[in-house]
Amino acid sequence: MKFALVIFETDESRHRIQTDRDAYRKAYEAWIGQVAASGKLVGGNALETEHTTPVTVRKAADGSSTAADGPTHPGTETLGGWFVVEVADRAEAVALARGLPTPETIEIWPILESA
């Protein structure tokens, strides 16, 4: 089964990471290296969250759209990136997410695979 591990950053997690970026990077790279070496990493990307603001495009029922600077759901957590993993089940995806040694929040979503 494939799952997306969706990573959210908070002001607190960003501050903790920036306090010791080298240690964070080392721990993060070790974790992702282990996931990749196990053959469970399918893909993923980090988003540029420090120097830019996302643009949100909203579609109306009449087909018109508006674009505005800022995340879709402003708040204390912002989307930081994601990984796609292929594992036996949800429990294994949760175990992988719990192993991330950095302070972000992770949502786990099953990926809808077409038949």
Side-chain angles (χ1 to χ4, degrees):
M1 297 181 70
K2 290 183 183 172
F3 288 87
L5 307 182
V6 183
I7 300 174
F8 290 89
E9 301 173 342
T10 64
D11 288 340
E12 179 185 347
S13 71
R14 274 188 294 278
H15 174 72
R16 287 172 56 193
I17 290 166
Q18 291 168 355
T19 299
D20 192 350
R21 185 165 295 282
D22 290 339
Y24 160 76
R25 178 62 57 196
K26 185 177 180 179
Y28 184 82
E29 288 176 354
W31 176 80
I32 197 62
Q34 291 170 348
V35 175
S38 72
K40 296 174 184 174
L41 181 65
V42 175
N45 285 298
L47 300 175
E48 169 55 66
T49 60
E50 289 187 45
H51 307 296
T52 189
T53 301
V55 176
T56 298
V57 175
R58 295 187 187 277
K59 300 289 254 178
D62 66 3
S64 65
S65 63
T66 58
D69 287 341
T72 301
H73 302 286
T76 61
E77 293 184 321
T78 56
L79 180 61
W82 62 89
F83 293 103
V84 176
V85 296
E86 188 160 1
V87 293
D89 54 27
R90 181 178 180 264
E92 188 175 3
V94 170
L96 283 177
R98 284 185 171 168
L100 181 66
T102 56
E104 297 93 352
T105 299
I106 302 174
E107 281 186 0
I108 300 165
W109 287 86
I111 293 182
L112 182 62
E113 297 189 51
S114 47

